Amino acid sequence: SFWTELQKQCSKYNIIICPKVRMEDFIEVNVKDYKTKESWRGKIKSRHIDFILCDINLKIIAAIELDDCSHQSPAAKKTDQFKNDVLYTIGIPLHRVNVDNGNFKQNIELILHQLGYHPKDKPLNKNIDIQENKEATNNPNKTGIFSGTNI
């Protein structure tokens, strides 16, 4: 249901949706030491982002993660925070959507509105459950380890 609504909303603005993108496909590890580089690669190569939104030139404009009750475990929270921190440090807005509430249309409209895609004359319901990652709690990029690329 979320995918169907995301396609519908993004098509209005020619936004390309890339589902289940491996983090290593758009994040580079900038470390010369092989062992250290492979350690950091190990942290991103098996992790995925549910949806990457791109402009028509495949420049990443945002990421979306769908969260349900399974994201409450300590291990899931740690993984989610790692994703939050990495995407924040490379400058990609990450939006977490609670799928348990089912407000997919409003959730997507809010994300697109925050990205600057919205009809100027339409009021927006901001009382929905979207979390935008605005800062890193544990900055994994302190030493320039990660950089982002286009898809």
Side-chain angles (χ1 to χ4, degrees):
S1 295
F2 184 87
W3 167 251
T4 301
E5 188 60 37
L6 185 63
Q7 284 182 305
K8 182 178 171 184
Q9 296 294 325
C10 287
S11 69
K12 297 176 188 177
Y13 305 105
N14 295 316
I15 296 172
I16 298 167
I17 307 164
C18 302
K20 195 160 179 158
V21 179
R22 190 173 60 127
M23 289 179 72
E24 192 176 38
D25 290 341
F26 66 95
I27 297 172
E28 294 180 23
V29 179
N30 300 322
V31 177
K32 298 222 185 271
D33 176 67
Y34 178 80
K35 192 172 183 178
T36 304
K37 183 175 188 163
E38 289 305 302
S39 174
W40 282 107
R41 278 191 65 229
K43 295 178 189 311
I44 64 169
K45 71 181 180 183
S46 62
R47 305 248 190 278
H48 293 79
I49 302 297
D50 292 327
F51 300 103
I52 297 289
L53 305 182
C54 300
D55 67 15
I56 59 171
N57 296 312
L58 291 179
K59 180 178 185 282
I60 299 172
I61 56 177
I64 299 174
E65 279 283 284
L66 303 180
D67 294 345
D68 59 14
C69 61
S70 70
H71 287 257
Q72 298 305 312
S73 74
K77 285 181 179 184
K78 185 176 179 181
T79 297
D80 287 349
Q81 191 59 55
F82 176 76
K83 289 179 182 182
N84 293 351
D85 293 344
V86 171
L87 269 68
Y88 175 80
T89 60
I90 63 172
I92 296 174
L94 173 62
H95 300 269
R96 291 192 165 276
V97 176
N98 180 348
V99 295
D100 293 333
N101 69 23
N103 294 328
F104 301 145
K105 182 176 181 183
Q106 293 92 350
N107 290 341
I108 295 164
E109 285 177 348
L110 179 58
I111 290 168
L112 294 176
H113 187 274
Q114 290 173 344
L115 294 171
Y117 299 92
H118 54 85
K120 304 291 184 208
D121 59 341
K122 183 177 179 187
L124 185 66
N125 176 8
K126 293 185 179 183
N127 298 321
I128 54 178
D129 192 11
I130 293 280
Q131 295 176 344
E132 182 182 4
N133 189 34
K134 298 203 183 239
E135 64 182 55
T137 58
N138 182 17
N139 188 342
N141 205 31
K142 289 177 189 167
T143 58
I145 293 169
F146 296 114
S147 63
T149 63
N150 290 347
I151 294 289

